Amino acid sequence: MNKEAQVRFHPETGVELARGVRPVRLSFKSQAMVVDMPGWYSKDDVAGENGLFDKKDMLVSDRAINLMKAREFGLLLPKQIKKIRLALGLSQRDAGHYIGGGPNAFQKYESGDVLLSKSADTALRLLAADPNRLEEIMHCDAA
């Protein structure tokens, strides 16, 4: 990649910024974590406090905050959601259809882009405890 693509100037201060990753501390209520945050930083910004971030960069912090929210609220975490869905033998699309959220919901839940609703969390926990109940849900849908 050429140097032009790797250098930017801060729109307010005019300071030269370069593409990089910095450890950034995020928190939500009682939860806290440090994430490696990609973005545009000045060479003096070692703490990642004054970076500029694009939409793709923000996915990193958004997913970390959603993870902290899930922990804080006692919801299933993305890896747990995927594990239960796979144990039930459902595709992401089918899980969205039978459990709720729509055709793309489980892709978003499992990536951490969207928090699982309390009702979907409860349904997944019940199905994890008794997978035979899935047949009931699927039968209700066919009626």
Side-chain angles (χ1 to χ4, degrees):
M1 220 179 246
N2 64 26
K3 184 172 165 65
E4 278 184 51
Q6 293 297 308
V7 175
R8 235 186 219 182
F9 294 92
H10 195 285
E12 294 174 6
T13 65
V15 171
E16 184 176 308
L17 306 172
R19 193 82 183 131
V21 175
R22 301 285 191 279
V24 174
R25 185 179 188 281
L26 302 172
S27 61
F28 177 79
K29 295 194 178 197
S30 71
Q31 304 291 314
M33 64 189 320
V34 175
V35 297
D36 290 331
M37 189 69 191
W40 295 90
Y41 300 96
S42 72
K43 63 182 176 187
D44 300 325
D45 186 8
V46 293
E49 295 174 352
N50 298 306
L52 292 179
F53 310 103
D54 62 27
K55 187 176 181 179
K56 193 172 181 181
D57 298 333
M58 293 305 295
L59 279 177
V60 173
S61 62
D62 291 348
R63 287 175 175 168
I65 290 168
N66 280 341
L67 183 62
M68 290 185 288
K69 286 180 178 181
R71 288 179 179 150
E72 186 71 24
F73 300 140
L75 298 172
L76 291 168
L77 305 179
K79 287 181 182 180
Q80 295 170 309
I81 296 167
K82 183 176 183 177
K83 183 178 179 182
I84 294 169
R85 178 184 60 78
L86 291 174
L88 293 169
L90 293 172
S91 67
Q92 288 178 332
R93 183 172 287 279
D94 286 343
H97 177 77
Y98 293 119
I99 297 166
N104 299 317
F106 273 75
Q107 184 279 321
K108 293 175 183 177
Y109 300 151
E110 293 174 15
S111 67
D113 289 339
V114 175
L115 275 181
L116 191 63
S117 69
K118 185 64 179 160
S119 59
D121 182 271
T122 300
L124 280 174
R125 288 177 191 273
L126 291 171
L127 288 169
D130 186 1
N132 294 324
R133 301 296 302 260
L134 179 60
E135 193 67 36
E136 252 180 271
I137 294 171
M138 294 170 91
H139 181 68
C140 288
D141 188 60

mmCIF file of all heavy atoms in Angstrom, residues 112-132:
data_model
loop_
_atom_site.group_PDB
_atom_site.id
_atom_site.type_symbol
_atom_site.label_atom_id
_atom_site.label_comp_id
_atom_site.label_asym_id
_atom_site.label_seq_id
_atom_site.Cartn_x
_atom_site.Cartn_y
_atom_site.Cartn_z
ATOM 1 N N GLY A 112 -21.808 -10.928 17.701
ATOM 2 C CA GLY A 112 -21.769 -9.917 18.753
ATOM 3 C C GLY A 112 -22.224 -8.550 18.285
ATOM 4 O O GLY A 112 -22.110 -7.576 19.021
ATOM 5 N N ASP A 113 -22.764 -8.478 17.076
ATOM 6 C CA ASP A 113 -23.227 -7.190 16.555
ATOM 7 C C ASP A 113 -24.509 -6.724 17.227
ATOM 8 O O ASP A 113 -24.770 -5.531 17.318
ATOM 9 C CB ASP A 113 -23.458 -7.264 15.036
ATOM 10 C CG ASP A 113 -22.158 -7.369 14.265
ATOM 11 O OD1 ASP A 113 -21.102 -7.007 14.800
ATOM 12 O OD2 ASP A 113 -22.211 -7.823 13.104
ATOM 13 N N VAL A 114 -25.338 -7.682 17.671
ATOM 14 C CA VAL A 114 -26.626 -7.372 18.287
ATOM 15 C C VAL A 114 -26.777 -8.226 19.541
ATOM 16 O O VAL A 114 -26.410 -9.403 19.541
ATOM 17 C CB VAL A 114 -27.784 -7.661 17.304
ATOM 18 C CG1 VAL A 114 -29.135 -7.473 17.963
ATOM 19 C CG2 VAL A 114 -27.672 -6.779 16.070
ATOM 20 N N LEU A 115 -27.332 -7.621 20.590
ATOM 21 C CA LEU A 115 -27.616 -8.369 21.815
ATOM 22 C C LEU A 115 -28.832 -9.264 21.610
ATOM 23 O O LEU A 115 -29.800 -8.864 20.966
ATOM 24 C CB LEU A 115 -27.946 -7.411 22.965
ATOM 25 C CG LEU A 115 -26.810 -6.823 23.758
ATOM 26 C CD1 LEU A 115 -27.370 -5.932 24.869
ATOM 27 C CD2 LEU A 115 -25.902 -7.867 24.345
ATOM 28 N N LEU A 116 -28.771 -10.427 22.201
ATOM 29 C CA LEU A 116 -29.893 -11.351 22.200
ATOM 30 C C LEU A 116 -30.994 -10.780 23.089
ATOM 31 O O LEU A 116 -30.709 -10.248 24.164
ATOM 32 C CB LEU A 116 -29.401 -12.685 22.765
ATOM 33 C CG LEU A 116 -30.283 -13.904 22.663
ATOM 34 C CD1 LEU A 116 -30.526 -14.270 21.203
ATOM 35 C CD2 LEU A 116 -29.618 -15.072 23.368
ATOM 36 N N SER A 117 -32.243 -10.873 22.658
ATOM 37 C CA SER A 117 -33.348 -10.408 23.501
ATOM 38 C C SER A 117 -33.513 -11.369 24.673
ATOM 39 O O SER A 117 -33.083 -12.531 24.610
ATOM 40 C CB SER A 117 -34.650 -10.354 22.695
ATOM 41 O OG SER A 117 -35.084 -11.661 22.380
ATOM 42 N N LYS A 118 -34.147 -10.905 25.722
ATOM 43 C CA LYS A 118 -34.383 -11.750 26.896
ATOM 44 C C LYS A 118 -35.254 -12.950 26.521
ATOM 45 O O LYS A 118 -35.010 -14.067 26.983
ATOM 46 C CB LYS A 118 -35.028 -10.926 28.025
ATOM 47 C CG LYS A 118 -35.185 -11.684 29.308
ATOM 48 C CD LYS A 118 -33.835 -12.073 29.898
ATOM 49 C CE LYS A 118 -34.009 -12.822 31.206
ATOM 50 N NZ LYS A 118 -32.835 -13.596 31.553
ATOM 51 N N SER A 119 -36.262 -12.740 25.670
ATOM 52 C CA SER A 119 -37.137 -13.853 25.279
ATOM 53 C C SER A 119 -36.384 -14.896 24.449
ATOM 54 O O SER A 119 -36.559 -16.099 24.657
ATOM 55 C CB SER A 119 -38.376 -13.353 24.550
ATOM 56 O OG SER A 119 -38.009 -12.630 23.403
ATOM 57 N N ALA A 120 -35.539 -14.461 23.518
ATOM 58 C CA ALA A 120 -34.747 -15.411 22.720
ATOM 59 C C ALA A 120 -33.722 -16.116 23.609
ATOM 60 O O ALA A 120 -33.466 -17.315 23.440
ATOM 61 C CB ALA A 120 -34.063 -14.696 21.567
ATOM 62 N N ASP A 121 -33.160 -15.390 24.565
ATOM 63 C CA ASP A 121 -32.218 -15.987 25.519
ATOM 64 C C ASP A 121 -32.918 -17.108 26.297
ATOM 65 O O ASP A 121 -32.394 -18.214 26.427
ATOM 66 C CB ASP A 121 -31.701 -14.908 26.472
ATOM 67 C CG ASP A 121 -30.685 -15.437 27.471
ATOM 68 O OD1 ASP A 121 -31.103 -15.894 28.566
ATOM 69 O OD2 ASP A 121 -29.482 -15.386 27.155
ATOM 70 N N THR A 122 -34.116 -16.820 26.798
ATOM 71 C CA THR A 122 -34.883 -17.811 27.560
ATOM 72 C C THR A 122 -35.212 -19.025 26.690
ATOM 73 O O THR A 122 -35.053 -20.175 27.121
ATOM 74 C CB THR A 122 -36.174 -17.181 28.118
ATOM 75 O OG1 THR A 122 -35.809 -16.095 28.970
ATOM 76 C CG2 THR A 122 -36.990 -18.190 28.897
ATOM 77 N N ALA A 123 -35.653 -18.787 25.461
ATOM 78 C CA ALA A 123 -35.983 -19.884 24.553
ATOM 79 C C ALA A 123 -34.762 -20.764 24.303
ATOM 80 O O ALA A 123 -34.859 -22.004 24.347
ATOM 81 C CB ALA A 123 -36.524 -19.336 23.232
ATOM 82 N N LEU A 124 -33.611 -20.153 24.052
ATOM 83 C CA LEU A 124 -32.397 -20.939 23.811
ATOM 84 C C LEU A 124 -31.993 -21.743 25.039
ATOM 85 O O LEU A 124 -31.586 -22.902 24.928
ATOM 86 C CB LEU A 124 -31.249 -20.023 23.378
ATOM 87 C CG LEU A 124 -31.256 -19.600 21.924
ATOM 88 C CD1 LEU A 124 -30.160 -18.576 21.662
ATOM 89 C CD2 LEU A 124 -31.072 -20.808 21.016
ATOM 90 N N ARG A 125 -32.119 -21.145 26.206
ATOM 91 C CA ARG A 125 -31.772 -21.876 27.438
ATOM 92 C C ARG A 125 -32.704 -23.068 27.644
ATOM 93 O O ARG A 125 -32.262 -24.159 28.028
ATOM 94 C CB ARG A 125 -31.826 -20.939 28.637
ATOM 95 C CG ARG A 125 -30.688 -19.937 28.678
ATOM 96 C CD ARG A 125 -30.843 -18.973 29.865
ATOM 97 N NE ARG A 125 -29.929 -17.863 29.773
ATOM 98 C CZ ARG A 125 -28.673 -17.854 30.236
ATOM 99 N NH1 ARG A 125 -28.185 -18.926 30.827
ATOM 100 N NH2 ARG A 125 -27.926 -16.779 30.102
ATOM 101 N N LEU A 126 -33.991 -22.868 27.394
ATOM 102 C CA LEU A 126 -34.950 -23.963 27.537
ATOM 103 C C LEU A 126 -34.677 -25.067 26.511
ATOM 104 O O LEU A 126 -34.737 -26.258 26.836
ATOM 105 C CB LEU A 126 -36.380 -23.442 27.398
ATOM 106 C CG LEU A 126 -36.875 -22.545 28.533
ATOM 107 C CD1 LEU A 126 -38.222 -21.920 28.169
ATOM 108 C CD2 LEU A 126 -36.974 -23.321 29.841
ATOM 109 N N LEU A 127 -34.375 -24.681 25.279
ATOM 110 C CA LEU A 127 -34.080 -25.662 24.245
ATOM 111 C C LEU A 127 -32.759 -26.391 24.514
ATOM 112 O O LEU A 127 -32.629 -27.575 24.201
ATOM 113 C CB LEU A 127 -34.050 -25.001 22.867
ATOM 114 C CG LEU A 127 -35.414 -24.577 22.327
ATOM 115 C CD1 LEU A 127 -35.252 -23.697 21.097
ATOM 116 C CD2 LEU A 127 -36.282 -25.797 22.037
ATOM 117 N N ALA A 128 -31.793 -25.703 25.105
ATOM 118 C CA ALA A 128 -30.522 -26.350 25.455
ATOM 119 C C ALA A 128 -30.759 -27.414 26.526
ATOM 120 O O ALA A 128 -30.141 -28.489 26.501
ATOM 121 C CB ALA A 128 -29.512 -25.316 25.938
ATOM 122 N N ALA A 129 -31.668 -27.125 27.455
ATOM 123 C CA ALA A 129 -31.979 -28.072 28.525
ATOM 124 C C ALA A 129 -32.822 -29.245 28.018
ATOM 125 O O ALA A 129 -32.715 -30.357 28.525
ATOM 126 C CB ALA A 129 -32.706 -27.357 29.664
ATOM 127 N N ASP A 130 -33.664 -29.003 27.016
ATOM 128 C CA ASP A 130 -34.541 -30.049 26.472
ATOM 129 C C ASP A 130 -34.697 -29.850 24.962
ATOM 130 O O ASP A 130 -35.685 -29.281 24.488
ATOM 131 C CB ASP A 130 -35.913 -30.001 27.157
ATOM 132 C CG ASP A 130 -36.813 -31.160 26.745
ATOM 133 O OD1 ASP A 130 -36.382 -32.015 25.938
ATOM 134 O OD2 ASP A 130 -37.957 -31.194 27.228
ATOM 135 N N PRO A 131 -33.702 -30.326 24.187
ATOM 136 C CA PRO A 131 -33.729 -30.132 22.730
ATOM 137 C C PRO A 131 -34.962 -30.717 22.043
ATOM 138 O O PRO A 131 -35.331 -30.276 20.957
ATOM 139 C CB PRO A 131 -32.462 -30.840 22.245
ATOM 140 C CG PRO A 131 -31.580 -30.927 23.444
ATOM 141 C CD PRO A 131 -32.491 -31.001 24.633
ATOM 142 N N ASN A 132 -35.634 -31.673 22.677
ATOM 143 C CA ASN A 132 -36.833 -32.265 22.076
ATOM 144 C C ASN A 132 -37.958 -31.250 21.928
ATOM 145 O O ASN A 132 -38.872 -31.447 21.131
ATOM 146 C CB ASN A 132 -37.305 -33.468 22.899
ATOM 147 C CG ASN A 132 -36.302 -34.596 22.856
ATOM 148 O OD1 ASN A 132 -35.651 -34.827 21.831
ATOM 149 N ND2 ASN A 132 -36.156 -35.291 23.964
#
